[in-house]
Every structure is written in structure tokens, then in C-alpha cells.
Amino acid sequence: MAAHLGDAEDAHERALVEQGAYAIAARFQVTLADAYRHLGALAQEFGISMGEAAEALVGGQPPIGSAHRPGPASFDPAKYLRRPPHELPGSGTVQPEPIPEPPEPPEWVDDVLAGIHGNALYAMPLYSGGRINDFVIVRINDTVEARLGEPARQAVGRRLQDAYPQVLTSGLLGQYIRAFETGEPFARGPFEQVTISPRGLEPVSVVLRAARAGPGLLLTWSDTAEEERLLARWEQSERLAGLGWGEWNLFTNEVEWTRRMYDIFGRTPEEGPTRLEEMPGLLLPEDLPAMEEAVRTLFEYREAVDTEFRIRQRSGVRHVHMMLEPVLDSDARPVAVRFLAQDVTDRRRQERVLAATHQRLLEENRRAEEERRFAARLRQVILALRDPAISAPGMDVAVRYHTAERIGGDWHKARPLPDGRVLLAIGDAMGHGLAAATQMAQMRAGLAGLAYTGAEPGRLMIWLNELVRAEPSGDVGTGTAVLGHFLPEDRTLRWSRAGHPPPILVRAGRARLLEGEGGPMLGVLEDPRYPVSVTALEPHDLLLFYTDGIIDRRDMDPDTATARLLAAAAGADGSPDDRLDRIIKEIGADQMEDDVCLMAAVIR
């Protein structure tokens, strides 16, 4: 890439130097070789490059030198061009050759030039040593004068190589001389040439012709740069927009298409355009009425038509959007039909995909809403959002739920057992919706039955793990839980946890997390280990069980959320219900995005 950029910069520099030399040769009527010497001396005098000096001369740039690079003085191109020729840098012995007086051209030359629409000039040959070495311009036509103005008028009476120095480097002067001497016309082009325009240097595509006409040489040329740019832009617009243009001449029955129309209708230029009367054979039968209505509107009502239909072509069925307009004569009779066509197949395909996607989303939303309502009803049947206070041996228990828009799998269990122990458990089935609610019900109901076996918390957790993994569909879910047994006779809590945050103990206004080794989440391992921890409790202690939605929040990190929960628990007093209400208010549980569950047990 760097090498290519360097080549481009060198080419630009060469073009600037060449144009600067042309400008000097034309202004001071010196040869091109002398002009290059003057340009080099000029660059050396002002401490700038030849490219910088040439760019200022050609483009009329502001003075350069100290503004571009350090130099002894700044270079003002306007001031330089006002110098007399003998004051040019490096002039020394360089003197412009005098131009001999050319003979008057024939009287018919002016009439011929006036009849040429493009650029044209007439030049008489100049001889040296019996051979032609140049031509002197004696006439220009109005087109050249209108385009170039005063520089064109100043060219009359000057050598061809002085007025147009590029004829030397391009070899055109030799071709002109050969055309004059042999009488065989010469033509070249289109070819690219850098020229000077009001916008500065720009490439143009030129077509040149030269022929001997009487005693002189007739030169004509056309600059097709603007026309080619407009054509290229139109072709690019056709390609990008998928547009094609056409016209149907009603008198000759001839149809004209642009290149893009052939692509739309799947034809080649050799096959020619499709005529209007052939269109019904291309259309799908169900689209024929639309075409018939379009024809009726064009010829009966003589109004423009905007329509769309489907056609069969070699690449398959295509959707074509057409705008047709009648061309009317002075008596309002149609003489032609002009039309624009656009292939909108991809657009219609995308619309169908979007419509199908939209319908699928609506159906999925409907199913999700039905699932959400069913899950909510299932949870309401199984769990109470605000259980009445439970009075168990040695403790009082209260529970609070906060329900979010997304149904979660939070659950709890607090129940006295026949052997005198109290079961305390809280957990969360991972996920949302019906699947989470179903697994929640399964875990809670399963634990209720397993607890009556008298097994220790670690064994109960292993059985819960097996229950979660024994999903008939084969889709193993996951969950977390904390469960324990409170023994009233010695006020101890024997507990175990599976991937769940530990309970909080509040004693004498100070709150801390219970310490104990935990096990993996439920459903993850086939043969996990769940250690049992033992915590001694005292009268008035508060045990707080909670689900992870309280500390897994978007608005704060888990450590901050845990610290906030500990502070809220430490500041709460009163009955278990009062304490839960205070904690929920302090931590903002009613504003959380996930379901949360809290269970408080106060030791008596």
C-alpha cells in the first residue's frame, strides 16, 4: 500500500511540474525545454520544490515558501507571471524566437469554423530549413472562445506548441505535421489528458482530429470528461438503486432500454428489449389485471402509472416496480411511453422474512404470556406470598416474597417435624417462567416428603440433587438451596448449603454471615458432597434466610449488596414480621427485577 501511495504521489508531482512548464512556455513564448529550466531555477531561487512552484503557477495558489517549508522568501505566482521575459530565473541567453508573419487563411475558413459545433482552430505551417517545424494559430471558433475566454483569444498568432505545449510531449505535433504533408487525416482518442480548468488540474478524455484544409491545418477536438462523468454517475445510480430506463416509440414501435433494464428482465442486449405487447407472456397470471389496468390508465386516461408485478425470467420469478408515463403531442395524443423499472425482489423477500419474524414473535409472546400466567398461578397455589407467622418449638418464623414481572423459582419451607426438630429451608430453581416454577414445586414438594425420613441435612441435600437430576425429559436443571434442622432442646442449628449464600445471624444488634463449608449447586454433579455445619444459637437471635436475587443486582456488586443486607438486618427489631418489613424497605426489595424471598426466625 505504501509503495502504491508513493507511486501516486510521484505521478502527481510529475503532472504538476509538466503543467507548470506549459504555463511558463505559454506565458513567455519560450520552448518547453526552456520552460523546464526556468521552473527549476525558480524553485531554487525560492527554496521550494518544482512541484510546489508549478502548483502555485497552475492553480493560482496563495504565496508559498515559509508557509509550507522554511525558505528565504515567499513565492507569489501572480507577481512572478508579471515579470518581463528577460527577468525570468535562469534567462541568461534564452530569448524567444520571432514568429514569421503567416499568410492570410482562405476566406472560407471562418465559415467552416462557424459550422463546427465543437472546439476547432485553423493553423498555418511554419517552416525552418525547408521543413515544417510548427504551426501558427490564425483562427479559433466561437466554441473555443466561449469556453476559454481571453486565453483563447491570446492564442491567435502564437505557435501551436506555445499555446498547447502538450503537443510536444504527447507526440501530437509530429502527427499534425505528417497529416499536413501527406494529406491523410489524423485522429486520436479518446485518451486521458491532464488539463487546467476553473477547478484546477483534472483528467479529461479527449478525442482529436487533424486534417489538411487548403493551405493550413484544421484541428478539432472534444472534451468528453463531463459527459462521461454524468453517464458514469447515471450508470452507477442504476446499479445501486436497481433502476432501469426505457422508452417505447408508438410511431415506430421501437423500444429503447438502458443496460440495467436487460438485467431486470433477464435478457441480453443481443436479444433486444421486450415489447409491451409481449409483457403478458412474462407476467404471472394473477398479476395480469394490474398490467391491464396500467395500460388502460396510460392510453385511455393518459395519466402516469405506478404499479408492481411479478415476471418470470431466467433467474426465476422477480418482483418489478414500474413507473410509466405517456408522452403526449400538442393534441394530447400519446406518441411514446417512458418508463422506469426497479427490481424489488430482495426488498419483498426481506418484507416477507420480517413479516414472518413479526408473526413468530407475536406467537412467542403469546405463549410466553400464557406460560407466565400459568407459572404465576402455579406459584400462588404452592406458595403464599405472605405466610402467616409460624410458631414452632423454640422459635417464631415469618416469610416475605417480592414478585417481579419475570416468574422465578424461589421457594421456602418452615415446618415442625415429628421428632421435635424444626425444618428451615430456602432455595432457588435456576431460570424463569414455567420451567423454573415447575422445578421449584418439585424441589419443595420433594423436600417436604424427604424431611420426614429423619435424615441429616447433608443427606437431604444429596437426595435433592438426585431429584433435580432425575428430569424425565433429560434436560437437567440446576438450583441452589440452604436447609437445616433447629434443635429446640440445645438451641443449635445443623445446616448445609448447595451453591446458595449462607444465612445471616443477628445477635445483640450485630449481623454476620454464618460460617460453614458449602457444596456445589444442585443438579451439577452426579455424586456431590454436602458438609453439615453446626451453629449454637441464643435467645433473641435472628436467623435470616434469603434468595440470591437480593444480592445479585444490576445496580450494585454482590459485596456491596451483601453489606447493605447485613446493615438492614442489624438495624431491624421487633417481631419476625416487623423485622422483615423493615429489611425489605431498607434494601429496596420491592424495586428489584427478580423474585426474592426472605425468611426470618427469631429464637425464643
Side-chain angles (χ1 to χ4, degrees):
M1 174 64 78
H4 292 316
L5 290 176
D7 292 342
E9 291 172 356
D10 291 343
H12 179 65
E13 179 85 4
R14 289 194 298 272
L16 287 175
V17 171
E18 182 177 350
Q19 291 299 312
Y22 291 162
I24 293 175
R27 165 65 180 83
F28 298 108
Q29 297 186 13
V30 296
T31 66
L32 194 58
D34 289 335
Y36 276 110
R37 286 195 293 273
H38 291 321
L39 186 61
L42 177 68
Q44 184 177 7
E45 176 183 342
F46 289 97
I48 58 180
S49 71
M50 289 181 67
E52 288 177 310
E55 185 175 20
L57 286 172
V58 172
Q61 301 293 326
I64 61 175
S66 58
H68 287 239
R69 62 173 66 181
S74 62
F75 168 45
D76 185 346
K79 181 178 179 181
Y80 168 77
L81 292 173
R82 288 195 297 269
R83 290 183 178 185
H86 65 274
E87 292 184 6
L88 284 176
S91 290
T93 60
V94 176
Q95 296 294 332
E97 290 185 27
I99 301 176
E101 188 69 26
E104 277 294 316
E107 295 180 358
W108 49 262
V109 168
D110 291 331
D111 295 333
V112 170
L113 292 178
I116 297 175
H117 178 68
N119 305 289
L121 63 81
Y122 191 77
M124 303 293 287
L126 293 176
Y127 292 86
S128 176
R131 296 184 60 85
I132 300 175
N133 63 2
D134 204 344
F135 294 87
V136 60
I137 301 172
V138 294
R139 295 287 190 275
I140 60 172
N141 70 348
D142 294 340
T143 303
V144 177
E145 185 173 354
R147 287 191 59 192
L148 302 180
E150 184 60 29
R153 290 187 287 273
Q154 292 178 355
V156 176
R158 298 173 57 194
R159 292 183 177 87
L160 194 60
Q161 63 176 292
D162 293 335
Y164 300 98
Q166 59 264 41
V167 299
L168 292 174
T169 56
S170 62
L172 287 172
L173 182 58
Q175 297 288 351
Y176 296 158
I177 293 173
R178 188 174 300 109
F180 182 84
E181 291 178 339
T182 63
E184 296 180 2
F186 162 75
R188 176 187 290 185
F191 63 93
E192 297 300 317
Q193 176 176 290
V194 178
T195 189
I196 306 170
S197 75
R199 294 183 293 270
L201 290 175
E202 66 175 1
V204 295
S205 183
V206 179
V207 176
L208 288 169
R209 291 178 176 84
R212 179 169 184 169
L217 185 72
L218 179 64
L219 285 176
T220 63
W221 69 97
S222 61
D223 174 2
T224 60
E226 189 63 28
E227 291 82 354
E228 288 190 350
R229 278 194 294 269
L230 289 175
L231 180 59
R233 289 167 185 164
W234 167 252
E235 290 176 347
Q236 185 180 37
S237 300
E238 277 196 330
R239 178 177 55 81
L240 293 176
L243 283 171
W245 178 90
E247 182 174 289
W248 178 26
N249 188 316
L250 299 179
F251 285 106
T252 64
N253 202 31
E254 301 246 341
V255 180
E256 182 183 358
W257 276 4
T258 59
R259 183 64 184 85
R260 182 61 182 165
M261 284 291 288
Y262 291 98
D263 296 334
I264 293 173
F265 282 85
R267 297 172 67 88
T268 65
E270 290 74 25
E271 293 173 316
T274 299
R275 302 187 184 280
L276 193 60
E277 62 266 23
E278 299 172 343
M279 286 295 295
L282 300 179
L283 269 63
L284 298 188
E286 51 267 38
D287 290 349
L288 279 173
M291 174 55 71
E292 292 171 356
E293 181 61 28
V295 173
R296 184 179 302 110
T297 302
L298 281 171
F299 294 104
E300 291 187 15
Y301 304 111
R302 299 171 187 181
E303 296 176 354
V305 176
D306 191 325
T307 186
E308 185 174 321
F309 46 80
R310 291 164 295 173
I311 62 171
R312 296 188 189 90
Q313 51 124 302
R314 62 188 56 169
S315 63
V317 175
R318 311 296 295 179
H319 292 253
V320 179
H321 178 217
M322 290 196 75
M323 291 169 282
L324 303 98
E325 176 186 57
V327 180
L328 307 178
D329 63 11
S330 57
D331 296 324
R333 293 176 301 185
V335 296
V337 176
R338 295 189 183 122
F339 44 88
L340 277 175
Q342 185 179 31
D343 188 336
V344 294
T345 305
D346 291 341
R347 186 186 308 170
R348 297 295 173 259
R349 185 181 298 118
Q350 292 170 4
E351 290 172 354
R352 289 195 300 272
V353 171
L354 288 175
T357 302
H358 179 68
Q359 184 62 35
R360 187 169 60 253
L361 288 175
L362 289 177
E363 184 64 22
E364 290 177 356
N365 288 338
R366 183 189 63 79
R367 287 198 301 267
E369 179 60 23
E370 291 179 355
E371 184 178 296
R372 190 194 71 80
R373 288 198 298 266
F374 182 79
R377 181 59 181 163
L378 177 64
R379 189 179 60 180
Q380 289 173 357
V381 170
I382 297 172
L383 299 174
L385 299 184
R386 182 186 178 102
D387 283 345
I390 302 170
S391 181
M395 64 170 52
D396 296 315
V397 182
V399 178
R400 290 289 185 276
Y401 255 97
H402 164 67
T403 59
E405 183 67 23
R406 297 189 302 170
I407 304 300
D410 294 12
W411 59 274
H412 75 283
K413 196 72 177 175
R415 173 176 295 185
L417 299 177
D419 60 6
R421 296 179 299 175
V422 180
L423 174 66
L424 298 172
I426 197 166
D428 185 6
M430 295 296 101
H432 298 89
L434 183 59
T438 302
Q439 186 175 342
M440 172 271 294
Q442 185 181 32
M443 293 171 66
R444 189 173 188 268
L447 178 62
L450 294 171
Y452 282 89
T453 64
E456 285 292 299
R459 171 54 60 182
L460 291 177
M461 200 70 83
I462 291 175
W463 288 341
L464 270 183
N465 181 73
E466 293 176 356
L467 181 66
V468 171
R469 291 180 60 84
E471 174 62 38
S473 66
D475 297 329
V476 178
T478 58
T480 65
V482 173
L483 65 86
H485 290 141
F486 172 68
L487 283 66
E489 61 269 18
D490 60 0
R491 296 191 181 93
T492 59
L493 177 71
R494 299 178 61 81
W495 59 283
S496 182
R497 66 188 180 99
H500 202 90
I504 292 175
L505 172 63
V506 181
R507 177 178 293 168
R510 299 183 63 183
R512 64 179 177 86
L513 296 173
L514 291 186
E515 296 180 359
E517 184 181 356
M521 291 177 62
L522 299 172
V524 174
L525 298 179
E526 184 176 355
D527 188 19
R529 174 179 170 270
Y530 294 102
V532 176
S533 301
V534 179
T535 301
L537 301 174
E538 300 178 1
H540 310 298
D541 282 352
L542 168 66
L543 281 174
L544 183 65
F545 297 79
Y546 53 95
T547 53
D548 57 4
I550 292 178
I551 59 175
D552 290 340
R553 303 176 55 169
R554 292 186 180 182
D555 56 346
M556 64 182 67
D557 62 80
D559 291 341
T560 302
T562 301
R564 186 176 180 183
L565 178 60
L566 288 169
D573 56 12
S575 67
D577 279 315
D578 293 339
R579 293 190 180 193
L580 287 180
D581 290 340
R582 174 68 181 272
I583 292 171
I584 287 174
K585 182 179 179 180
E586 289 293 325
I587 65 175
D590 56 341
Q591 300 175 1
M592 293 182 182
E593 298 179 356
D594 202 356
D595 282 6
V596 294
C597 178
L598 296 99
M599 183 170 63
V602 178
I603 308 302
R604 289 200 298 267

